[in-house]
Amino acid sequence: GAGVSQSPSNKVTEKGKDVELRCDPISGHTALYWYRQSLGQGLEFLIYFQGNSAPDKSGLPSDRFSAERTGGSVSTLTIQRTQQEDSAVYLCASSSTGASGNTIYFGEGSWLTVV
Amino acid sequence: GQSLEQPSEVTAVEGAIVQMNCTYQTSGFYGLSWYQQHDGGAPTFLSYNALDGLEETGRFSSFLSRSDSYGYLLLQELQMKDSASYFCVVRSGNTPLVFGKGTRLSVIA
């Protein structure tokens, strides 16, 4: 696609339920990132996929969070047993390799509210 | 590990010049980027410095000193639409991009 696409754009869920957030990166981009941003705060790194390498999961805040990337393209971030502190916007970004990989392109985010 | 420091808020007058600083600590440093984020929007790329010196793109300039682990973003001829958060971002090897906490710029008339 022309840009990074994320869905759903908004999600309200009850505490304890599982949610899945989807990211469709720019075609051909090998790197994919998930970040989380609470209101008025900076971007918190969650997970990073680069090509066929093992993902860097060092930013995942707990084992309730997981992500996968199928076929080197679409990625899904899953949050199990959601808690109120999970409420945030979840931003996906992608980039190509080499010098042009210095620029990453963000989607519009998935706004998650846990009630 | 990696860390970045940015002032949390800056206020400047329309038409003026503002400089937003960033200091960082990292190993295997490749370069420093700057991103702009308006309220409710996604971050967008502004500039990237891999070498020491000043990079200019229109009203925006970005500076890097690798020896001082320091950079800044300079905005000239400030406009109201420049009110946003500005993040410095470190690239180090194959590690994920690390964002600073951002500087919130408020442009006033």
Side-chain angles (χ1 to χ4, degrees), chain B residues 66-105:
Chain B
R66 296 172 68 113
S67 60
D68 295 324
S69 298
Y70 164 75
Y72 65 73
L73 181 69
L74 190 76
L75 278 68
Q76 303 182 66
E77 302 171 17
L78 277 174
Q79 302 175 9
M80 301 299 284
K81 68 178 181 180
D82 296 329
S83 293
S85 292
Y86 293 84
F87 297 91
C88 61
V89 184
V90 162
R91 173 173 285 278
S92 303
N94 287 323
T95 59
L97 296 181
V98 177
F99 281 70
K101 294 188 182 300
T103 297
R104 186 171 184 84
L105 171 64

Side-chain angles (χ1 to χ4, degrees), chain A:
Chain A
V4 178
S5 178
Q6 292 188 246
S7 61
S9 55
N10 283 283
K11 175 73 175 179
V12 179
T13 189
E14 292 181 351
K15 178 182 173 181
K17 295 287 180 71
D18 297 352
V19 296
E20 285 189 351
L21 308 176
R22 176 189 167 103
C23 173
D24 200 343
I26 293 173
S27 178
H29 279 190
T30 58
L32 187 147
Y33 305 79
W34 282 99
Y35 290 88
R36 177 170 72 173
Q37 187 175 33
S38 300
L39 193 62
Q41 301 298 308
L43 276 72
E44 176 189 2
F45 164 72
L46 296 178
I47 188 168
Y48 166 57
F49 297 88
Q50 173 59 276
N52 295 321
S53 303
D56 182 336
K57 305 179 181 180
S58 60
L60 294 177
S62 77
D63 59 7
R64 296 187 296 105
F65 289 73
S66 63
E68 63 177 20
R69 188 178 185 191
T70 55
S73 181
V74 172
S75 176
T76 302
L77 177 69
T78 301
I79 309 173
Q80 296 178 308
R81 305 181 302 282
T82 52
Q83 303 294 313
Q84 289 184 328
E85 60 263 29
D86 299 335
S87 296
V89 58
Y90 289 82
L91 290 161
C92 176
S94 71
S95 70
S96 60
T97 55
S100 57
N102 298 319
T103 304
I104 63 172
Y105 299 87
F106 283 85
E108 292 299 315
S110 291
W111 295 73
L112 175 65
T113 304
V114 181
V115 298

Side-chain angles (χ1 to χ4, degrees), chain B residues 31-86:
Chain B
L32 189 73
S33 301
W34 290 89
Y35 284 75
Q36 178 192 60
Q37 185 182 32
H38 287 99
D39 286 347
T44 57
F45 173 81
L46 290 177
S47 67
Y48 175 73
N49 293 68
L51 303 175
D52 286 356
L54 194 68
E55 296 279 343
E56 299 182 53
T57 307
R59 296 188 297 114
F60 292 69
S61 301
S62 56
F63 173 83
L64 175 66
S65 169
R66 296 172 68 113
S67 60
D68 295 324
S69 298
Y70 164 75
Y72 65 73
L73 181 69
L74 190 76
L75 278 68
Q76 303 182 66
E77 302 171 17
L78 277 174
Q79 302 175 9
M80 301 299 284
K81 68 178 181 180
D82 296 329
S83 293
S85 292
Y86 293 84

Side-chain angles (χ1 to χ4, degrees), chain B residues 2-14:
Chain B
Q2 299 167 322
S3 67
L4 297 97
E5 293 289 334
Q6 298 182 251
S8 58
E9 295 182 351
V10 170
T11 300
V13 177
E14 191 176 16

